[in-house]
């Protein structure tokens, strides 16, 4: 491992973020700024106008959100050959106008990263990296452990979601060659108004292939939580609420991606995830999974690639006494990661849903990328909660209806353009639409409009 002392002489006037580099100590500043303009029409297919007509919710809105993230980091080369390093940063965010969740003209400043760490080499080609304090951590593909903090609501910047770091984190990694083991304890940076005192811990084992492929497994246990689970009941009865049900839930996620092939499978890439969850205290047995297959036309202009994916997350069967509803924990919910749909991802968490998705990506130039995404979204279980508290209503006969009565939820289309203006400045814009399926139309009395939106943002990162 190269020591910091060996690279200390690289400081020069062309790097304004490097404050100090001498005697084995390097100190660097960091700064990130984002500005995002959003317009939404017929939010959530205007279901509020049907299910809660007296509520003062406006389905057509626009807002501006911004954030800044300043920070400072250091690395110090010890005489033993190890490196002591750390980082301190904060996020200040604000929303001007009213956002999709009817919150606006609000914001907050919060601590982001504040960790100390030590890394170095051991005998037999092994290395270690241990840290203590708030920092980011994504495990596997981000299916369960990725989003360490919450933005939006009283903190502002709903769409940007600039907060990523866990509020408390203890992380230890041990590596040898292509194998890495990670042990962790994490406490998410939850919204003060909705803090459920979640704490998780576990281990991750990962093998990195020689050309970008990987195979790994993550085990997670919820040590503490006040988060409730809904449980479907037979017939048209409303769901039960099991207070504090998340505590004690365990999850095992196995994930993998292929290295590049040769021969007839050249240009193909395949990935897979599977997860099972158990909690004996509440008789929970849930599951989820995803498979993808991608093909890249590397020899064609604009380097087009097409990816198909299918992802599914179990829902609770109202006819059984067991609880089968999958808990996605702290998943990475961006369209390029684990979002179920584009606009629909703001409505359906990864529980009791499945989606077939196609993604077409082209690069007109090394600086420009166009991505078109389509998702067909369905419910796994009828008359069962799709999201906590969602779609519970009274039908025309006066009976309570839970979840949806038709599996087809929505079809989402999202066209995104990204531009690298320079190494530190990035522009992204997009237009999206969600066409309601029969499940949503039945909730709205067959009169649900198409939900549309546009955005444009710029991010500066130094």
């Amino acid at each position: 491992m190269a020591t910091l002392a060996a690279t200390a002489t690289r400081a020069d006037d062309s790097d304004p973020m490097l404050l100090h580099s001498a005697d084995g100590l390097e100190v660097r500043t960091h700064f990130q700024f984002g500005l995002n303009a959003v317009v939404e029409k017929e939010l959530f297919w205007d279901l509020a106008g049907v299910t809660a007509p007296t509520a003062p919710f406006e389905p057509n809105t626009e807002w501006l959100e911004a954030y800044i993230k300043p920070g400072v980091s250091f690395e110090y080369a010890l005489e033993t050959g190890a490196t002591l390093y750390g980082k301190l940063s904060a996020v200040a965010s604000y929303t001007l106008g009213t956002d999709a969740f009817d919150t606006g003209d609000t914001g907050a400043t919060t601590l982001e990263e504040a960790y100390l760490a030590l890394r170095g080499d051991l005998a037999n080609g092994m290395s270690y990296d241990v840290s203590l304090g708030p920092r980011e951590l994504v495990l596997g593909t981000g299916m369960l452990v990725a989003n360490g903090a919450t933005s939006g609501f009283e903190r502002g910047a709903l769409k940007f979601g600039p907060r990523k770091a866990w509020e408390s984190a203890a992380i230890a990694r041990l590596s040898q060659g292509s194998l890495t083991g990670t042990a962790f304890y994490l406490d998410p940076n939850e919204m003060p108004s909705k803090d459920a005192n979640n704490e998780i811990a576990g281990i991750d084992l990962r093998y990195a292939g020689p050309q970008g492929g990987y195979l790994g497994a993550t085990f997670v246990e919820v040590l503490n939580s006040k988060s409730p689970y809904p449980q479907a009941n037979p017939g048209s009865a409303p769901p039960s609420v099991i207070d504090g049900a998340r505590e004690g839930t365990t999850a095992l996620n196995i994930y993998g991606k292929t290295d590049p092939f040769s021969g007839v499978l050249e240009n193909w890439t395949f990935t897979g995830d599977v997860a099972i969850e158990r909690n004996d205290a509440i008789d929970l047995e849930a599951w989820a999974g995803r498979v993808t297959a991608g093909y890249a036309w590397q020899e064609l202009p604009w380097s087009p690639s097409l990816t198909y994916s299918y992802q599914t997350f179990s829902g609770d069967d109202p006819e059984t006494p067991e609880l089968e509803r999958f808990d996605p924990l702290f998943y990475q919910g961006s369209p390029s990661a684990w979002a179920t749909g584009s606009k629909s991802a703001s409505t359906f968490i990864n529980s009791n849903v499945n989606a077939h998705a196609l993604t077409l990506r082209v690069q007109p130039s090394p600086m420009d990328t166009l991505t078109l995404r389509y998702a067909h979204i369905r419910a796994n279980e009828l008359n069962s909660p799709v999201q906590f508290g969602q779609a519970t209503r009274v039908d025309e006969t006066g009976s309570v209806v839970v979840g949806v009565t038709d599996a087809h939820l929505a079809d989402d289309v999202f066209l995104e353009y990204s531009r690298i203006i320079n190494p530190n400045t990035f522009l992204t814009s997009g237009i999206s639409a969600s066409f309601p399926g029969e499940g949503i139309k039945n909730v709205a009395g067959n009169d649900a409009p198409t939900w549309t939106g546009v955005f444009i943002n710029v991010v500066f990162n130094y």
Side-chain angles (χ1 to χ4, degrees):
M1 177 182 295
T3 65
L4 185 62
T7 60
T9 59
R10 62 191 171 98
D12 57 52
D13 294 337
S14 65
D15 187 354
M17 309 306 287
L18 187 60
L19 296 181
H20 176 84
S21 184
D23 301 321
L25 175 64
E26 180 177 288
V27 181
R28 182 179 298 276
T29 59
H30 305 267
F31 182 78
Q32 193 175 107
F33 167 73
L35 186 66
N36 190 29
V38 185
V39 177
E40 297 280 351
K41 300 295 183 183
E42 306 293 357
L43 274 161
F44 310 112
W45 313 281
D46 197 22
L47 291 183
V50 176
T51 60
T54 61
F57 180 81
E58 175 54 57
N60 302 316
T61 188
E62 55 277 330
W63 70 93
L64 189 68
E65 55 186 42
Y67 76 92
I68 59 172
K69 181 183 175 182
V72 60
S73 66
F74 80 93
E75 292 188 358
Y76 180 65
L78 302 175
E79 293 182 358
T80 62
T83 298
L84 179 69
Y85 68 101
K87 189 174 183 181
L88 177 67
S89 67
V91 171
S93 57
Y94 192 83
T95 293
L96 179 65
T98 303
D99 66 21
F101 291 106
D102 204 30
T103 303
D105 298 327
T106 187
T109 299
T110 57
L111 179 69
E112 181 69 355
E113 298 151 301
Y115 64 88
L116 285 173
L118 184 70
R119 65 172 180 258
D121 295 330
L122 299 170
N124 302 317
M126 299 183 71
S127 62
Y128 65 90
D129 192 332
V130 295
S131 70
L132 184 64
R135 70 179 304 180
E136 298 181 25
L137 178 67
V138 178
L139 295 175
T141 60
M143 184 185 194
L144 297 174
V145 179
N147 188 15
T150 306
S151 297
F153 299 95
E154 66 261 32
R155 288 177 169 175
L158 172 71
K159 288 282 189 179
F160 261 142
R163 295 168 179 84
K164 302 287 191 295
W166 302 85
E167 186 173 63
S168 299
I171 305 166
R173 284 196 172 100
L174 188 64
S175 302
Q176 184 173 39
S178 300
L179 295 174
T180 300
T182 304
F184 59 91
Y185 162 84
L186 303 169
D187 178 356
N189 182 5
E190 302 178 78
M191 203 77 64
S193 61
K194 299 179 181 178
D195 193 339
N197 297 324
N198 285 285
E199 296 175 66
I200 63 174
I203 58 173
D204 176 82
L205 299 175
R206 183 184 181 105
Y207 167 79
Q211 300 182 65
Y214 51 77
L215 179 65
T218 305
F219 174 79
V220 184
E221 181 174 1
V222 180
L223 303 178
N224 183 58
S225 179
K226 294 181 180 178
S227 296
Y229 286 163
Q231 183 167 21
N233 287 313
S236 58
S240 302
V241 177
I242 309 174
D243 291 329
R246 174 180 274 180
E247 185 170 314
T249 294
T250 61
L252 176 64
N253 170 213
I254 299 173
Y255 57 90
K257 178 184 177 181
T258 58
D259 272 329
F261 294 100
S262 59
V264 295
L265 290 178
E266 186 179 10
N267 299 332
W268 283 94
T269 302
F270 301 94
T271 72
D273 274 85
V274 63
I276 56 172
E277 292 181 335
R278 297 290 185 266
N279 190 332
D280 293 339
I282 57 171
D283 206 7
L284 169 71
E285 294 186 3
W287 54 270
R290 180 173 71 180
V291 292
T292 75
Y295 187 86
W297 289 269
Q298 298 176 355
E299 72 284 357
L300 294 182
W302 294 18
S303 303
S305 65
L306 182 66
T307 301
Y308 164 78
S309 69
Y310 175 73
Q311 60 188 46
T312 181
F313 311 89
S314 63
D316 188 34
D317 185 347
E319 303 303 321
T320 67
E322 296 82 17
L323 181 62
E324 298 98 354
R325 177 184 182 272
F326 187 78
D327 181 354
L329 294 175
F330 304 95
Y331 69 105
Q332 192 169 31
S334 66
S336 60
W338 280 94
T340 297
S342 51
K343 308 201 78 59
S344 293
S346 300
T347 308
F348 310 126
I349 63 172
N350 287 351
S351 180
N352 193 22
V353 291
N354 66 74
H356 298 268
L358 285 172
T359 301
L360 175 64
R361 180 175 286 108
V362 295
Q363 287 190 286
S365 79
M367 312 293 283
D368 300 280
T369 303
L370 277 167
T371 306
L372 177 63
R373 295 184 174 92
Y374 164 75
H376 174 76
I377 306 156
R378 304 180 68 84
N380 275 331
E381 295 286 346
L382 301 181
N383 300 314
S384 180
V386 179
Q387 181 170 212
F388 191 90
Q390 182 194 348
T392 300
R393 61 203 184 280
V394 178
D395 67 11
E396 63 276 4
T397 68
S399 300
V400 175
V401 178
V402 178
V404 293
T405 56
D406 187 282
H408 184 195
L409 296 173
D411 292 277
D412 284 12
V413 180
F414 178 30
L415 178 62
E416 182 182 53
Y417 167 68
S418 298
R419 167 76 176 176
I420 302 173
I421 297 175
N422 60 50
N424 303 106
T425 310
F426 309 89
L427 174 73
T428 306
S429 62
I431 182 170
S432 56
S434 182
F435 302 90
E438 290 301 314
I440 296 297
K441 290 180 180 178
N442 290 347
V443 175
N446 294 316
D447 190 24
T450 300
W451 172 14
T452 60
V454 297
F455 73 90
I456 182 169
N457 66 54
V458 62
V459 173
F460 303 91
N461 190 15
Y462 292 89

